[in-house]
Amino acid sequence: MPTEDQFVEAAWLAAPRFGLEPVSIGLLSHSENVVLAVAAGDGPRVARRLPRPGYNTIDELRSEVAWVRSLGAFGLPVPTAVPPVDRDHYVAVDVGGVVHQGGVVVWVAGQPLGAPNEAEAAEVGAHYGRIGAAAATIRA
């Protein structure tokens, strides 16, 4: 299994393919996806995501880009995909001998929703209510 340093190194190597000149890259999450925060000097903060190999096909990943783009068209604050300078939204990178298809999305500020304490329960419930209301406006 690739190490954190190998994922970060791969993100540095792939950054120019997305037109990025990062000043820092750090690991945020390593579960089904590896997610790295990429801070660019003059550009927006972005996230580099590497789905687990074999978890999704490239067509499924491209479908996700289209789905998220359509959510953004409805006015939802979603992470917009950044296309590489030479291809569609995903590029293959070697991470410690394992090939990953990876993409980049513009950073959307927020906080993860975890198990709320009693004081936060009403706020989390209201948040899910807003998500449900937004989902109800989406039509095929």
Side-chain angles (χ1 to χ4, degrees):
M1 171 178 276
T3 66
E4 177 179 334
D5 289 342
Q6 289 171 316
F7 283 110
V8 171
E9 180 183 350
W12 279 103
L13 293 173
R17 294 176 72 183
F18 289 91
L20 301 172
E21 296 180 20
V23 294
S24 68
I25 298 177
L27 183 72
L28 291 176
S29 172
H30 187 175
S31 57
E32 286 83 18
N33 300 300
V34 172
V35 181
L36 301 116
V38 180
D42 293 335
R45 186 175 184 197
V46 298
R48 174 85 163 117
R49 186 178 72 143
L50 300 163
R52 183 177 72 217
Y55 191 68
N56 296 103
T57 67
I58 191 66
D59 287 338
E60 290 169 338
L61 294 171
R62 289 176 181 142
S63 177
E64 179 184 50
V65 169
W67 168 245
V68 171
R69 186 181 307 130
S70 70
L71 293 175
F74 277 97
L76 298 176
V78 294
T80 307
V82 176
V85 294
D86 59 350
R87 305 169 75 149
D88 63 25
H89 293 90
Y90 290 90
V91 297
V93 293
D94 183 291
V95 184
V98 179
V99 176
H100 292 257
Q101 292 290 337
V104 171
V105 295
V106 175
W107 193 268
V108 175
Q111 296 178 336
L113 293 176
N117 60 37
E118 286 186 41
E120 298 169 329
E123 182 180 332
V124 171
H127 180 74
Y128 280 112
R130 288 189 299 275
I131 291 171
T137 66
I138 299 170
R139 297 174 197 56

